[in-house]
Every structure is written in C-alpha cells, then in structure tokens.
Amino acid sequence: MFRMIDRAAEALAIIAFTVSSAFVFLNVLNRYLILGLFRDMAKDFESLRPAYLAVRDLLSGVVVTADEVPGLLLVWVAFLGAYLAMRREGHIAFDMVLERLPRLGRRIVDGINTLLISGFLVMLGWQSVRMIRISGATEIETAEIAQGWFMLILPIAAALMLIAVIRRFLSEKEQG
C-alpha cells in the first residue's frame, strides 16, 4: 500500500513540475519571441501583423497565469518531495550522538523525536485545514482557480509525513 502511495506522490510531483515548467516555457516564449521578436517583425512587415495578432491573442490567455501558477505548483513539488525524502530517509540526519547512546537511550530519543515531528505535522495539518476553510475559496489573481486547490497539498503532505514518521518509528522498534 505504501509503495502505491509513494508512486502516486511521485507521479503528482512529476505532473506538477511538468505543468509548472510548461507555464514558464510559454511565458518565456511569449515574452521574448512573440512580444519581442515577432512583434518587431510585424511592425516592419505588414503581412505578418495578422499572424502576430492571432498568436499573441492565443497565448495571452495562458501566459497571464504563467507567473503565479508555476510558483504555486512548485509548492506541491516541494511538499511531495519532502514526503518522499522522509520515506526514503533522504533527509539530512545528525546521528553521531545518537549512535553513541545505548539502545534504550536511542529508543527514548527516537520516541521524543517522533513525538515532536508528529506534533508539528498534526499542527501543520490542522492549521492548513483552517486556512483552506477561511481563504480557500478565494481565487488567485490571474485565473479563476480557487486558492484552496493549491493549499490542499499542506494537509495532504502533513498526513503523509505523519504516517511515514510513525511507520519509521514502529519499524525501528521491531528491528531493535
């Protein structure tokens, strides 16, 4: 089951990153090629104006959101990446002191660490749900998309990371 959740998190992160990259690419394309080079060419050559206006109008609806949406999608990438790093123990660990403790001391420190991380993740999840309830219906400035869709990653990531940290603590308990 956890493997399926990990694959879904990876897929969502890849999709969010791809869409974010596509928006940035379209924005750069529009700004430098269409509104820059192509516009200058259309000024010099009258026959290019209809094509320039058509392309400009086609891209103008999409690139209006090209500044805001990629940033919001990168939040999804970051939180899904944080969950995946936690699951794969890819985060930075300072365990030199922990390794010098006796097994019981390590278990106590691991338990305290798990409690602190769990408390933070529960608080993050709770406060993010409150935030979504208060301002989630507000649309982002550049598109008719509710902010709540972008904020939804916060409680999802908090729940996933909470499961991962508890699972890791319990699996360490079974091993040692």
mmCIF file of all heavy atoms in Angstrom, residues 120-154:
data_model
loop_
_atom_site.group_PDB
_atom_site.id
_atom_site.type_symbol
_atom_site.label_atom_id
_atom_site.label_comp_id
_atom_site.label_asym_id
_atom_site.label_seq_id
_atom_site.Cartn_x
_atom_site.Cartn_y
_atom_site.Cartn_z
ATOM 1 N N PHE A 120 4.274 18.565 15.361
ATOM 2 C CA PHE A 120 4.376 19.616 14.352
ATOM 3 C C PHE A 120 3.500 19.302 13.144
ATOM 4 O O PHE A 120 2.787 20.180 12.636
ATOM 5 C CB PHE A 120 5.836 19.797 13.914
ATOM 6 C CG PHE A 120 5.964 20.711 12.742
ATOM 7 C CD1 PHE A 120 5.875 22.087 12.910
ATOM 8 C CD2 PHE A 120 6.159 20.201 11.460
ATOM 9 C CE1 PHE A 120 5.972 22.938 11.816
ATOM 10 C CE2 PHE A 120 6.265 21.045 10.372
ATOM 11 C CZ PHE A 120 6.164 22.412 10.547
ATOM 12 N N LEU A 121 3.517 18.057 12.673
ATOM 13 C CA LEU A 121 2.736 17.688 11.487
ATOM 14 C C LEU A 121 1.231 17.750 11.757
ATOM 15 O O LEU A 121 0.458 18.151 10.884
ATOM 16 C CB LEU A 121 3.157 16.306 10.982
ATOM 17 C CG LEU A 121 4.565 16.244 10.399
ATOM 18 C CD1 LEU A 121 4.979 14.807 10.129
ATOM 19 C CD2 LEU A 121 4.679 17.105 9.157
ATOM 20 N N VAL A 122 0.813 17.369 12.965
ATOM 21 C CA VAL A 122 -0.610 17.491 13.323
ATOM 22 C C VAL A 122 -1.011 18.966 13.338
ATOM 23 O O VAL A 122 -2.059 19.339 12.797
ATOM 24 C CB VAL A 122 -0.898 16.810 14.683
ATOM 25 C CG1 VAL A 122 -2.259 17.196 15.220
ATOM 26 C CG2 VAL A 122 -0.787 15.301 14.543
ATOM 27 N N MET A 123 -0.162 19.797 13.925
ATOM 28 C CA MET A 123 -0.457 21.232 13.954
ATOM 29 C C MET A 123 -0.478 21.807 12.529
ATOM 30 O O MET A 123 -1.364 22.590 12.183
ATOM 31 C CB MET A 123 0.588 21.975 14.789
ATOM 32 C CG MET A 123 0.284 23.459 14.944
ATOM 33 S SD MET A 123 1.492 24.333 15.952
ATOM 34 C CE MET A 123 2.946 24.215 14.950
ATOM 35 N N LEU A 124 0.475 21.412 11.686
ATOM 36 C CA LEU A 124 0.509 21.870 10.302
ATOM 37 C C LEU A 124 -0.760 21.449 9.565
ATOM 38 O O LEU A 124 -1.385 22.254 8.875
ATOM 39 C CB LEU A 124 1.745 21.317 9.575
ATOM 40 C CG LEU A 124 1.833 21.628 8.084
ATOM 41 C CD1 LEU A 124 2.030 23.120 7.853
ATOM 42 C CD2 LEU A 124 2.968 20.826 7.451
ATOM 43 N N GLY A 125 -1.154 20.206 9.734
ATOM 44 C CA GLY A 125 -2.374 19.717 9.079
ATOM 45 C C GLY A 125 -3.613 20.461 9.553
ATOM 46 O O GLY A 125 -4.437 20.903 8.742
ATOM 47 N N TRP A 126 -3.728 20.630 10.866
ATOM 48 C CA TRP A 126 -4.891 21.317 11.440
ATOM 49 C C TRP A 126 -4.967 22.770 10.984
ATOM 50 O O TRP A 126 -6.009 23.248 10.550
ATOM 51 C CB TRP A 126 -4.840 21.238 12.964
ATOM 52 C CG TRP A 126 -5.886 22.054 13.638
ATOM 53 C CD1 TRP A 126 -5.727 23.253 14.257
ATOM 54 C CD2 TRP A 126 -7.276 21.754 13.731
ATOM 55 N NE1 TRP A 126 -6.918 23.721 14.742
ATOM 56 C CE2 TRP A 126 -7.889 22.814 14.428
ATOM 57 C CE3 TRP A 126 -8.061 20.690 13.307
ATOM 58 C CZ2 TRP A 126 -9.248 22.839 14.701
ATOM 59 C CZ3 TRP A 126 -9.414 20.716 13.580
ATOM 60 C CH2 TRP A 126 -9.993 21.775 14.259
ATOM 61 N N GLN A 127 -3.859 23.475 11.087
ATOM 62 C CA GLN A 127 -3.852 24.889 10.699
ATOM 63 C C GLN A 127 -4.056 25.070 9.190
ATOM 64 O O GLN A 127 -4.681 26.041 8.758
ATOM 65 C CB GLN A 127 -2.547 25.564 11.138
ATOM 66 C CG GLN A 127 -2.392 25.671 12.630
ATOM 67 C CD GLN A 127 -3.497 26.499 13.282
ATOM 68 O OE1 GLN A 127 -4.050 27.420 12.699
ATOM 69 N NE2 GLN A 127 -3.826 26.157 14.521
ATOM 70 N N SER A 128 -3.545 24.147 8.393
ATOM 71 C CA SER A 128 -3.752 24.270 6.947
ATOM 72 C C SER A 128 -5.210 24.019 6.575
ATOM 73 O O SER A 128 -5.740 24.682 5.674
ATOM 74 C CB SER A 128 -2.817 23.333 6.182
ATOM 75 O OG SER A 128 -3.058 21.986 6.510
ATOM 76 N N VAL A 129 -5.872 23.115 7.266
ATOM 77 C CA VAL A 129 -7.313 22.909 7.023
ATOM 78 C C VAL A 129 -8.080 24.173 7.416
ATOM 79 O O VAL A 129 -8.977 24.616 6.688
ATOM 80 C CB VAL A 129 -7.837 21.668 7.783
ATOM 81 C CG1 VAL A 129 -9.362 21.628 7.795
ATOM 82 C CG2 VAL A 129 -7.272 20.393 7.173
ATOM 83 N N ARG A 130 -7.715 24.774 8.530
ATOM 84 C CA ARG A 130 -8.348 26.047 8.928
ATOM 85 C C ARG A 130 -8.120 27.124 7.883
ATOM 86 O O ARG A 130 -9.037 27.875 7.531
ATOM 87 C CB ARG A 130 -7.792 26.530 10.276
ATOM 88 C CG ARG A 130 -8.306 25.758 11.458
ATOM 89 C CD ARG A 130 -7.871 26.352 12.779
ATOM 90 N NE ARG A 130 -8.363 27.721 12.898
ATOM 91 C CZ ARG A 130 -7.656 28.736 13.391
ATOM 92 N NH1 ARG A 130 -6.423 28.537 13.818
ATOM 93 N NH2 ARG A 130 -8.167 29.939 13.479
ATOM 94 N N MET A 131 -6.898 27.210 7.384
ATOM 95 C CA MET A 131 -6.571 28.212 6.372
ATOM 96 C C MET A 131 -7.385 27.992 5.095
ATOM 97 O O MET A 131 -7.900 28.945 4.517
ATOM 98 C CB MET A 131 -5.066 28.146 6.046
ATOM 99 C CG MET A 131 -4.617 29.154 5.006
ATOM 100 S SD MET A 131 -2.847 29.085 4.671
ATOM 101 C CE MET A 131 -2.681 27.455 3.960
ATOM 102 N N ILE A 132 -7.526 26.741 4.679
ATOM 103 C CA ILE A 132 -8.304 26.436 3.476
ATOM 104 C C ILE A 132 -9.775 26.792 3.691
ATOM 105 O O ILE A 132 -10.420 27.349 2.801
ATOM 106 C CB ILE A 132 -8.140 24.951 3.085
ATOM 107 C CG1 ILE A 132 -6.718 24.710 2.575
ATOM 108 C CG2 ILE A 132 -9.161 24.549 2.015
ATOM 109 C CD1 ILE A 132 -6.362 23.252 2.400
ATOM 110 N N ARG A 133 -10.291 26.515 4.877
ATOM 111 C CA ARG A 133 -11.700 26.845 5.154
ATOM 112 C C ARG A 133 -11.928 28.344 5.130
ATOM 113 O O ARG A 133 -12.982 28.816 4.715
ATOM 114 C CB ARG A 133 -12.117 26.263 6.500
ATOM 115 C CG ARG A 133 -12.221 24.736 6.443
ATOM 116 C CD ARG A 133 -12.601 24.134 7.758
ATOM 117 N NE ARG A 133 -13.976 24.507 8.069
ATOM 118 C CZ ARG A 133 -14.465 24.522 9.286
ATOM 119 N NH1 ARG A 133 -13.718 24.202 10.312
ATOM 120 N NH2 ARG A 133 -15.709 24.861 9.495
ATOM 121 N N ILE A 134 -10.938 29.131 5.570
ATOM 122 C CA ILE A 134 -11.089 30.587 5.627
ATOM 123 C C ILE A 134 -10.881 31.230 4.266
ATOM 124 O O ILE A 134 -11.691 32.040 3.824
ATOM 125 C CB ILE A 134 -10.113 31.187 6.666
ATOM 126 C CG1 ILE A 134 -10.527 30.752 8.074
ATOM 127 C CG2 ILE A 134 -10.068 32.699 6.563
ATOM 128 C CD1 ILE A 134 -9.502 31.051 9.150
ATOM 129 N N SER A 135 -9.792 30.886 3.584
ATOM 130 C CA SER A 135 -9.491 31.603 2.340
ATOM 131 C C SER A 135 -9.355 30.705 1.117
ATOM 132 O O SER A 135 -8.932 31.179 0.062
ATOM 133 C CB SER A 135 -8.209 32.429 2.515
ATOM 134 O OG SER A 135 -7.116 31.576 2.741
ATOM 135 N N GLY A 136 -9.699 29.463 1.233
ATOM 136 C CA GLY A 136 -9.536 28.536 0.121
ATOM 137 C C GLY A 136 -10.411 28.816 -1.082
ATOM 138 O O GLY A 136 -10.066 28.486 -2.209
ATOM 139 N N ALA A 137 -11.556 29.457 -0.876
ATOM 140 C CA ALA A 137 -12.457 29.751 -1.996
ATOM 141 C C ALA A 137 -12.034 30.996 -2.773
ATOM 142 O O ALA A 137 -12.506 31.227 -3.886
ATOM 143 C CB ALA A 137 -13.887 29.926 -1.493
ATOM 144 N N THR A 138 -11.128 31.789 -2.208
ATOM 145 C CA THR A 138 -10.642 32.985 -2.895
ATOM 146 C C THR A 138 -9.847 32.559 -4.122
ATOM 147 O O THR A 138 -8.988 31.687 -4.043
ATOM 148 C CB THR A 138 -9.726 33.805 -1.965
ATOM 149 O OG1 THR A 138 -10.434 34.096 -0.769
ATOM 150 C CG2 THR A 138 -9.272 35.083 -2.634
ATOM 151 N N GLU A 139 -10.151 33.194 -5.246
ATOM 152 C CA GLU A 139 -9.462 32.830 -6.476
ATOM 153 C C GLU A 139 -8.117 33.531 -6.571
ATOM 154 O O GLU A 139 -7.951 34.646 -6.058
ATOM 155 C CB GLU A 139 -10.321 33.188 -7.690
ATOM 156 C CG GLU A 139 -11.579 32.351 -7.771
ATOM 157 C CD GLU A 139 -12.464 32.723 -8.948
ATOM 158 O OE1 GLU A 139 -12.226 33.768 -9.584
ATOM 159 O OE2 GLU A 139 -13.400 31.952 -9.228
ATOM 160 N N ILE A 140 -7.158 32.875 -7.229
ATOM 161 C CA ILE A 140 -5.876 33.536 -7.451
ATOM 162 C C ILE A 140 -6.113 34.706 -8.388
ATOM 163 O O ILE A 140 -7.095 34.735 -9.129
ATOM 164 C CB ILE A 140 -4.812 32.562 -7.996
ATOM 165 C CG1 ILE A 140 -5.207 31.994 -9.365
ATOM 166 C CG2 ILE A 140 -4.543 31.439 -7.019
ATOM 167 C CD1 ILE A 140 -4.132 31.158 -10.015
ATOM 168 N N GLU A 141 -5.222 35.664 -8.359
ATOM 169 C CA GLU A 141 -5.444 36.920 -9.079
ATOM 170 C C GLU A 141 -5.475 36.761 -10.588
ATOM 171 O O GLU A 141 -6.170 37.490 -11.276
ATOM 172 C CB GLU A 141 -4.359 37.931 -8.697
ATOM 173 C CG GLU A 141 -4.486 38.416 -7.273
ATOM 174 C CD GLU A 141 -3.439 39.444 -6.930
ATOM 175 O OE1 GLU A 141 -2.941 40.114 -7.845
ATOM 176 O OE2 GLU A 141 -3.126 39.581 -5.738
ATOM 177 N N THR A 142 -4.724 35.823 -11.116
ATOM 178 C CA THR A 142 -4.572 35.754 -12.568
ATOM 179 C C THR A 142 -5.457 34.720 -13.255
ATOM 180 O O THR A 142 -5.455 34.636 -14.476
ATOM 181 C CB THR A 142 -3.105 35.451 -12.930
ATOM 182 O OG1 THR A 142 -2.726 34.221 -12.299
ATOM 183 C CG2 THR A 142 -2.208 36.582 -12.496
ATOM 184 N N ALA A 143 -6.191 33.923 -12.492
ATOM 185 C CA ALA A 143 -7.048 32.894 -13.105
ATOM 186 C C ALA A 143 -8.218 32.601 -12.177
ATOM 187 O O ALA A 143 -8.195 32.923 -10.993
ATOM 188 C CB ALA A 143 -6.254 31.621 -13.364
ATOM 189 N N GLU A 144 -9.219 31.989 -12.726
ATOM 190 C CA GLU A 144 -10.385 31.625 -11.922
ATOM 191 C C GLU A 144 -10.193 30.250 -11.297
ATOM 192 O O GLU A 144 -10.954 29.316 -11.542
ATOM 193 C CB GLU A 144 -11.634 31.660 -12.801
ATOM 194 C CG GLU A 144 -11.990 33.059 -13.277
ATOM 195 C CD GLU A 144 -13.222 33.085 -14.165
ATOM 196 O OE1 GLU A 144 -13.872 32.039 -14.339
ATOM 197 O OE2 GLU A 144 -13.526 34.163 -14.691
ATOM 198 N N ILE A 145 -9.153 30.154 -10.477
ATOM 199 C CA ILE A 145 -8.837 28.913 -9.772
ATOM 200 C C ILE A 145 -8.799 29.255 -8.287
ATOM 201 O O ILE A 145 -8.101 30.178 -7.870
ATOM 202 C CB ILE A 145 -7.471 28.342 -10.208
ATOM 203 C CG1 ILE A 145 -7.428 28.113 -11.717
ATOM 204 C CG2 ILE A 145 -7.168 27.046 -9.466
ATOM 205 C CD1 ILE A 145 -6.049 27.770 -12.245
ATOM 206 N N ALA A 146 -9.551 28.492 -7.501
ATOM 207 C CA ALA A 146 -9.573 28.740 -6.056
ATOM 208 C C ALA A 146 -8.219 28.408 -5.436
ATOM 209 O O ALA A 146 -7.587 27.411 -5.792
ATOM 210 C CB ALA A 146 -10.673 27.907 -5.404
ATOM 211 N N GLN A 147 -7.787 29.250 -4.508
ATOM 212 C CA GLN A 147 -6.512 29.034 -3.825
ATOM 213 C C GLN A 147 -6.490 27.724 -3.056
ATOM 214 O O GLN A 147 -5.433 27.130 -2.854
ATOM 215 C CB GLN A 147 -6.240 30.178 -2.857
ATOM 216 C CG GLN A 147 -5.903 31.468 -3.511
ATOM 217 C CD GLN A 147 -5.650 32.577 -2.493
ATOM 218 O OE1 GLN A 147 -5.620 32.349 -1.293
ATOM 219 N NE2 GLN A 147 -5.463 33.782 -2.986
ATOM 220 N N GLY A 148 -7.644 27.278 -2.644
ATOM 221 C CA GLY A 148 -7.734 26.038 -1.880
ATOM 222 C C GLY A 148 -7.148 24.841 -2.601
ATOM 223 O O GLY A 148 -6.603 23.931 -1.972
ATOM 224 N N TRP A 149 -7.244 24.823 -3.940
ATOM 225 C CA TRP A 149 -6.673 23.711 -4.708
ATOM 226 C C TRP A 149 -5.158 23.669 -4.550
ATOM 227 O O TRP A 149 -4.566 22.594 -4.499
ATOM 228 C CB TRP A 149 -7.052 23.814 -6.183
ATOM 229 C CG TRP A 149 -8.504 23.545 -6.407
ATOM 230 C CD1 TRP A 149 -9.463 24.446 -6.757
ATOM 231 C CD2 TRP A 149 -9.171 22.287 -6.258
ATOM 232 N NE1 TRP A 149 -10.680 23.830 -6.833
ATOM 233 C CE2 TRP A 149 -10.531 22.506 -6.531
ATOM 234 C CE3 TRP A 149 -8.754 21.010 -5.910
ATOM 235 C CZ2 TRP A 149 -11.473 21.481 -6.486
ATOM 236 C CZ3 TRP A 149 -9.693 19.988 -5.871
ATOM 237 C CH2 TRP A 149 -11.027 20.228 -6.153
ATOM 238 N N PHE A 150 -4.539 24.823 -4.473
ATOM 239 C CA PHE A 150 -3.092 24.858 -4.296
ATOM 240 C C PHE A 150 -2.714 24.605 -2.835
ATOM 241 O O PHE A 150 -1.690 24.013 -2.552
ATOM 242 C CB PHE A 150 -2.531 26.198 -4.775
ATOM 243 C CG PHE A 150 -2.717 26.414 -6.248
ATOM 244 C CD1 PHE A 150 -3.668 27.286 -6.715
ATOM 245 C CD2 PHE A 150 -1.933 25.733 -7.160
ATOM 246 C CE1 PHE A 150 -3.849 27.485 -8.075
ATOM 247 C CE2 PHE A 150 -2.092 25.917 -8.522
ATOM 248 C CZ PHE A 150 -3.056 26.796 -8.977
ATOM 249 N N MET A 151 -3.557 25.065 -1.903
ATOM 250 C CA MET A 151 -3.294 24.885 -0.472
ATOM 251 C C MET A 151 -3.520 23.451 -0.010
ATOM 252 O O MET A 151 -3.033 23.056 1.048
ATOM 253 C CB MET A 151 -4.214 25.797 0.343
ATOM 254 C CG MET A 151 -3.993 27.253 0.171
ATOM 255 S SD MET A 151 -5.293 28.106 1.127
ATOM 256 C CE MET A 151 -5.010 29.776 0.673
ATOM 257 N N LEU A 152 -4.249 22.687 -0.798
ATOM 258 C CA LEU A 152 -4.615 21.323 -0.420
ATOM 259 C C LEU A 152 -3.400 20.439 -0.149
ATOM 260 O O LEU A 152 -3.473 19.477 0.611
ATOM 261 C CB LEU A 152 -5.485 20.711 -1.518
ATOM 262 C CG LEU A 152 -6.204 19.421 -1.218
ATOM 263 C CD1 LEU A 152 -7.130 19.602 -0.019
ATOM 264 C CD2 LEU A 152 -6.992 18.972 -2.426
ATOM 265 N N ILE A 153 -2.260 20.780 -0.736
ATOM 266 C CA ILE A 153 -1.056 19.982 -0.515
ATOM 267 C C ILE A 153 -0.615 20.006 0.940
ATOM 268 O O ILE A 153 -0.027 19.045 1.431
ATOM 269 C CB ILE A 153 0.098 20.422 -1.446
ATOM 270 C CG1 ILE A 153 1.270 19.437 -1.372
ATOM 271 C CG2 ILE A 153 0.557 21.819 -1.131
ATOM 272 C CD1 ILE A 153 0.964 18.023 -1.694
ATOM 273 N N LEU A 154 -0.905 21.072 1.658
ATOM 274 C CA LEU A 154 -0.439 21.172 3.047
ATOM 275 C C LEU A 154 -1.031 20.089 3.955
ATOM 276 O O LEU A 154 -0.276 19.364 4.609
ATOM 277 C CB LEU A 154 -0.709 22.572 3.594
ATOM 278 C CG LEU A 154 0.088 23.686 2.912
ATOM 279 C CD1 LEU A 154 -0.450 25.050 3.331
ATOM 280 C CD2 LEU A 154 1.553 23.563 3.217
#
